[in-house]
Amino acid sequence: MFDLVTLGEAMIRLAAPHGESLESATNLEMRSAGAEANVAVVLARMGYRTSWISRLPDDPLGRRIAGDLRRHGVDTSAVAWAAGGRTGLYFLEQAPPPRGVTVYYDRGGSAFSALDPDRIDWAPVRQSRWAHTTGITPALGEACARAAVRFLAEARAAGVPTSLDVNHRRKLWDAKRARATLEPLLEGINVVIAAQEDAREVFDLQGSPPDLAERLRERVRAGAAVVTAGSEGAYLADDDAVYGEPAIPGVEVDPIGRGDAFAAGLIWGALEGDLCAGLRYGVALASLSQTFWGDVPWVTRQEVLGLLTSRSAKPER
Amino acid sequence: MFDLVTLGEAMIRLAAPHGESLESATNLEMRSAGAEANVAVVLARMGYRTSWISRLPDDPLGRRIAGDLRRHGVDTSAVAWAAGGRTGLYFLEQAPPPRGVTVYYDRGGSAFSALDPDRIDWAPVRQSRWAHTTGITPALGEACARAAVRFLAEARAAGVPTSLDVNHRRKLWDAKRARATLEPLLEGINVVIAAQEDAREVFDLQGSPPDLAERLRERVRAGAAVVTAGSEGAYLADDDAVYGEPAIPGVEVDPIGRGDAFAAGLIWGALEGDLCAGLRYGVALASLSQTFWGDVPWVTRQEVLGLLTSRSAKPER
Amino acid sequence: MFDLVTLGEAMIRLAAPHGESLESATNLEMRSAGAEANVAVVLARMGYRTSWISRLPDDPLGRRIAGDLRRHGVDTSAVAWAAGGRTGLYFLEQAPPPRGVTVYYDRGGSAFSALDPDRIDWAPVRQSRWAHTTGITPALGEACARAAVRFLAEARAAGVPTSLDVNHRRKLWDAKRARATLEPLLEGINVVIAAQEDAREVFDLQGSPPDLAERLRERVRAGAAVVTAGSEGAYLADDDAVYGEPAIPGVEVDPIGRGDAFAAGLIWGALEGDLCAGLRYGVALASLSQTFWGDVPWVTRQEVLGLLTSRSAKPER
Amino acid sequence: MFDLVTLGEAMIRLAAPHGESLESATNLEMRSAGAEANVAVVLARMGYRTSWISRLPDDPLGRRIAGDLRRHGVDTSAVAWAAGGRTGLYFLEQAPPPRGVTVYYDRGGSAFSALDPDRIDWAPVRQSRWAHTTGITPALGEACARAAVRFLAEARAAGVPTSLDVNHRRKLWDAKRARATLEPLLEGINVVIAAQEDAREVFDLQGSPPDLAERLRERVRAGAAVVTAGSEGAYLADDDAVYGEPAIPGVEVDPIGRGDAFAAGLIWGALEGDLCAGLRYGVALASLSQTFWGDVPWVTRQEVLGLLTSRSAKPER
Amino acid sequence: MFDLVTLGEAMIRLAAPHGESLESATNLEMRSAGAEANVAVVLARMGYRTSWISRLPDDPLGRRIAGDLRRHGVDTSAVAWAAGGRTGLYFLEQAPPPRGVTVYYDRGGSAFSALDPDRIDWAPVRQSRWAHTTGITPALGEACARAAVRFLAEARAAGVPTSLDVNHRRKLWDAKRARATLEPLLEGINVVIAAQEDAREVFDLQGSPPDLAERLRERVRAGAAVVTAGSEGAYLADDDAVYGEPAIPGVEVDPIGRGDAFAAGLIWGALEGDLCAGLRYGVALASLSQTFWGDVPWVTRQEVLGLLTSRSAKPER
Amino acid sequence: MFDLVTLGEAMIRLAAPHGESLESATNLEMRSAGAEANVAVVLARMGYRTSWISRLPDDPLGRRIAGDLRRHGVDTSAVAWAAGGRTGLYFLEQAPPPRGVTVYYDRGGSAFSALDPDRIDWAPVRQSRWAHTTGITPALGEACARAAVRFLAEARAAGVPTSLDVNHRRKLWDAKRARATLEPLLEGINVVIAAQEDAREVFDLQGSPPDLAERLRERVRAGAAVVTAGSEGAYLADDDAVYGEPAIPGVEVDPIGRGDAFAAGLIWGALEGDLCAGLRYGVALASLSQTFWGDVPWVTRQEVLGLLTSRSAKPER
């Protein structure tokens, strides 16, 4: 029995040191990363039982990814191990303005992209209290798109509520294809999450972030829609109303994974039966996440709750 | 259901870089380490279900240790989390001859040393196919000694076979006290393991390594006794005979944990019902272990079996 | 003959790299640190003869600390070397908001905490022009509290002026116990220093920083009281008036030790017979200190004076 | 045939890590650097054929410098290799306010400072579309001053347009000597570049940055004069008018080389026959340059043009 | 005009630190590497004009590789820049016995593997004094095999002598396929080089190393054949005789690239018209190469000649 | 009052990481080093009061050197601080055979080389129990040669016994000049030390190491002569006899400073009045020294005595 099951690819992330480029770096920092894996990690850290469904090659990099997830407490027994194939990679340069973050994907031909939905063990979906995936999964190819459909269908059949984070990746597909694939997928989903620029670009919506939340919910016929708006905070639209939660200011050390941390917070609230609490957990986790190198915040449930209580962090000695 | 359960303390290991001392180093490398934890890690890497019983403070260093074990696949749900207490540490300098390895323990007052055997959940012992601990555990204080007694008693009561690695630590107690504590403990154990110098010093035995194995078995009334003799290999004495297995030559990068890797190999054999195979697994794992920084060999079952098949390692490209 | 003698514990400081936590770090940066040792270091760097009274184990970490102080010119011949005991440690995570700095002490059972005031050679106190300690020392246990009393008594008996930095450590004791111990200690001290939050919490004072300075002086019957107020600057109250000095803006690389640098500046002024100059030295040293990793600013007297002259730092090539 | 030829010294740059000083650092980061070499590197990265005239010792550090330039595409066949002599060095501490950047030159007696203008092969100057040097070169001694004169004379004789970046270095000479040497040198130069403080200090000019540009042009009888004013941007005065270009805001990781990147941008414009475009390239390259460790921006022509188009940098994934 | 032109793929090499595995490493060291590129680098370092024909994606990793070659002096103007495609990678673990070196290729789908021989500019082949490639190139796919054929044909048509290093890669193809492809390719080649195990496995030859050299020459109808035999040295068979050269003992820091360094030495001899001298250069370069991390020896011609003169290396101060 | 005073230059040592060259390294490790400073450091570590006479620039690198010596306990109050001048440097590549260690000096024009013997405070020489310098000091120029003469003269005048380590540096002067300068200097010295190759090359002596010791003593009219012969050990010739001490085998991590460690051991014996004990201390310190990065062994007196007792180093836990 799990509290959360997620489906998605995880990659090896290879980052140039701060101040260097991939042309100049002599060492790359290696970590594991992937939107749905990140969500499973964060909720495992919060004390929930989480399972991650994926496919990895049975080689050192594949084992590395599974180990990195287990370290945080994620159950990896639903990972399908491929005899061949490669591990998806992404190369990363982080820089302050005017450069910003640049991601170079090298994930084509990965073991995950070649998964066969009929050979995945979907049992954990049926044994879970919540199921989550993102718009990245169907963007990875036809097999992955079918896996996402199957994942959500298995959940619905078992009465397991679902969420999907749109997470539009311009380097993987364009907005038109994303919309054509995601719209049918989102129908009937319990919670859909989108950054405001994705809501605009993929679903052709307009308006302020709270408006976007409301229109997104209608457009995709989701139970609830959440739109994130960076430093402006996040907005949740459900049957009754639109709720807003301001962002918690912080200093950005590494922005990657901030959205996944937010999504994890939202699901945390959903597991407690309170999506508004989820908004608060989300903004707290997002603000904490950006202060860590790598995609995931190495925090405890107590630290998140502490931040929400105090909204301040004084050195204590 | 587990294949192996172990009881013991794990520490944070802080090592000076090669060529430096603790006086000169500006950075210390941080890992998790502990004899019984190492054994659980190695068998998890070999594909077995392993559980580790211990006690850790609920702070970053305690969580770090549990995460490091989970990463390799060890089940940590039997760890007791202490509200207070500290994490045991050891500082390490590694140097070639004439200096060698120097370990500085700073483990007094650890959360493990204050464990209460009556508040430990011993269920995993009864649900396991093998139970293992070492002579370090009873050396850590009276509470730990009682825990070791209880651990072995629980195993015997449930018909779970047991092993104990003598692992004499001169910095924790002297040979006389070690013997007084260990002898009663060892009686009835299925497999006892000792380095030849420990067999001599703690149990006052004499003779060549195979002789020592035979006499150790008699002395402690164990089912089988194994004596390791460094580059000479290892010897197993059971009811019938003494079996020897030569060491597999290799280059020492970090000797710490080599004995634990050997013990893990022996238990692997035991789980397959073939202690002689265990000797072979043990010498292979010991030889591989020393080529890795840290206490554990990051190898797969396939790599161990490959080494035993070929006993050679050619670069293949 | 010394210009300054200080009494206190120094620890090994083990810090996670920026962007990492103690759970995720693979290397910890190692330095020496301790409030009173830091003050002695800074004044030695300013060209004064300083001595540090303490107790350390005669092992690599103890020797490391003494060497780190000598490097800056501090005389360590008054250190008592313990045959056993451990070196106090602190683990450190530094992060920007909303996380901030987190210190994990592991100093229980240190050689310093077990010092015997009767076996310390107090001669350097009597041969010094100034004596300084902090509220941390009596917080470390009964023996340390007695040592602090003795240290101040030796100074007074020899006519050596004294200062004490309140330095309240919530992780060591609560405000009530701190007050009960510190109040009698502070009576008759020449200069008492407190952060504004400590003035409020420990001595139950109220008002603006300059008010706090005035009331603190009265409360503890010190010759002068100094209250530091972060970016607002520092305030000195003596018989005649309250003097304020604005902080010098700067960017925080590592805030630890900023208060000790300020205290050193104040004593520098005192040694020149001008506490108001000391306020200026203090804000300059505090501003410089935060730009260095570690507890102490690696600056020269000339650089401090240069900053006070120009209050600007232009690259010159 | 080259697009650009530059004359100047390059040094090995040895930088303390961020947060450390040269007194505390245990490792120094090593790179190659030199104002005229940096300009050649940036233009090579922009796709131009560039040649660098210099003199280096035939030892590992000399070879290192030549290799570092070749890596970016600079032609180093005009480097004169000295049998003896040393490589110029500079030691560097970077710190945020109130400390700032400190450069310690150790370039006396370098192979470059002992060059003989008559033994340099000046052919590349005559085969180039543009020739550039800086005020640092004549500051390095009498031989270097003669080389600068010869370099500019060769260019003029061949009808190759020239530029000179004043780059006043207070640690090498004072303003009076700089002016006496540079004024005759600058006469007839096509483009002269000066930071506003250099325009004031060396040429005793007054007024706002655009005024300074106009007056500098008159004073040195250059075809055009450019004055840079940090965050205020840069101003170009030619026969007709004064043109201004605002700076592009960014975060400073390492300010060294920002001026060289600007000069490279200006020459890029000049090579395209449009100095106003050069102002834009210059502010873009300067803003990008400061986000990289080391003296040069590891960017492509496309990234510079992209910044000018968007003046924004969003993470794209 | 070039002294040497080579054809082949270069990859980004990502190596785990010594003592770590790819599962445990947190940083990977990044370098450029590729058999034919290595040969061009070594001969450029020896003072020869070398050109490298290849295909790279126009992205940071592709530019990195070209820059790394230029750094040593290799001309990269014959590189074809691909708008898409990926850069080939290889992951590396180095360990002492019993583990040894493990290479994990991730080079499928690289820009090089998709090269179109008709769109390569073969002019440098015709303008060169020697042309070299290896058996790796045709192993990378049908297009690469055609490119290798074309490369050798262009050379022959222009009267440029050729060499090929067999370099059998078991992870890319099996011996049977290698032989079927290589045999026709080798016919008429001037110098063929093979490790003794490749001579045995690919060409099914038998005998001692000198025998293998003789038989290899006959089998492939090459002008000369060289067989390398590790610590036994190398053997050259030409029309007249078989010549042997003992290896120069050394300590292995990184064995990768040793064979390429040997091949470069052989070609150096060939360019001097003395293949026997080439044997000596080869064993010297191979012995030096293994003492450097990475695929290439950072030595000078003088250092190689010095080693051959003294065959000893005493510290000189 | 000191036990030992030494005279000599110390430099900043900048070393390429193992496996890299100065051409390829991106970071250089920074330490302080100098033959006579090393001797003072080792004897300070052994518990003796040592003083070091030298001249340093008052800049970060100069202060760094003094701090590095103080760290070990050396008194630096006799250092003369120069307003200008540079700090001598040496660049270092360490490699196994066939490359070995390469030192690149960059010490010309150092503050030390410009010292004025009349402005040095020679008082510490007269207040010391032993005075030591090396043949490097007079090799650094005329002023340094006069300083060495003066140093030895001051010692003799005050009845302080002296030693000189020949330490021939081929990169500083040739054997003929060394001999002309050193022979008069050595006359009347109490202990002269020479490596066997220096005894042969500089003093034109012949024979086995013990023969060389005897002849060296005669040649320079020293009280005693010691000749070191690497792995063969060391030989001491005095009035009565020649004594030999075998080397203690060990693994070389960094050979630099081994000779200085030996000299320190010899002086240790001299201070105890037993030069034969000094031979033993010397071989122990030399063997330990090579296991540390950097020029000095970070050991304690107890560890040296322990090695001499056991001549074995077993890990003890």
Side-chain angles (χ1 to χ4, degrees), chain B residues 209-257:
Chain B
D211 293 346
L212 290 170
E214 204 158 8
R215 286 164 196 166
L216 180 60
R217 195 181 76 88
E218 289 161 7
R219 164 71 59 84
V220 301
R221 304 178 206 191
V226 176
V227 165
T228 59
S231 58
E232 287 175 58
Y235 296 87
L236 161 73
D238 68 9
D239 279 357
D240 303 321
V242 177
Y243 309 87
E245 182 71 26
I248 298 180
V251 171
E252 178 184 303
V253 171
D254 178 348
I256 312 266

Side-chain angles (χ1 to χ4, degrees), chain E residues 42-62:
Chain E
V42 176
L43 279 168
R45 294 194 64 87
M46 295 302 107
Y48 290 103
R49 296 157 301 168
T50 66
S51 174
W52 177 63
I53 300 179
S54 193
R55 191 162 182 264
L56 289 171
D58 187 12
D59 65 17
L61 298 182

Side-chain angles (χ1 to χ4, degrees), chain D residues 211-248:
Chain D
D211 293 346
L212 291 170
E214 203 157 9
R215 286 166 196 164
L216 180 60
R217 194 180 76 86
E218 289 160 9
R219 164 71 59 84
V220 301
R221 303 179 205 190
V226 176
V227 165
T228 58
S231 58
E232 289 175 57
Y235 295 87
L236 161 73
D238 67 10
D239 279 357
D240 301 321
V242 178
Y243 308 88
E245 182 70 26
I248 298 180

Side-chain angles (χ1 to χ4, degrees), chain E residues 260-279:
Chain E
D260 304 325
F262 174 82
L266 202 68
I267 296 170
W268 173 4
L271 287 170
E272 290 188 343
D274 181 351
L275 275 177
C276 285
L279 274 186

Side-chain angles (χ1 to χ4, degrees), chain B residues 90-115:
Chain B
Y90 82 87
F91 292 89
L92 179 64
E93 288 176 350
Q94 301 228 34
R99 279 166 64 218
V101 173
T102 312
V103 169
Y104 299 89
Y105 284 129
D106 181 13
R107 63 200 299 182
S110 70
F112 183 80
S113 71
L115 65 71

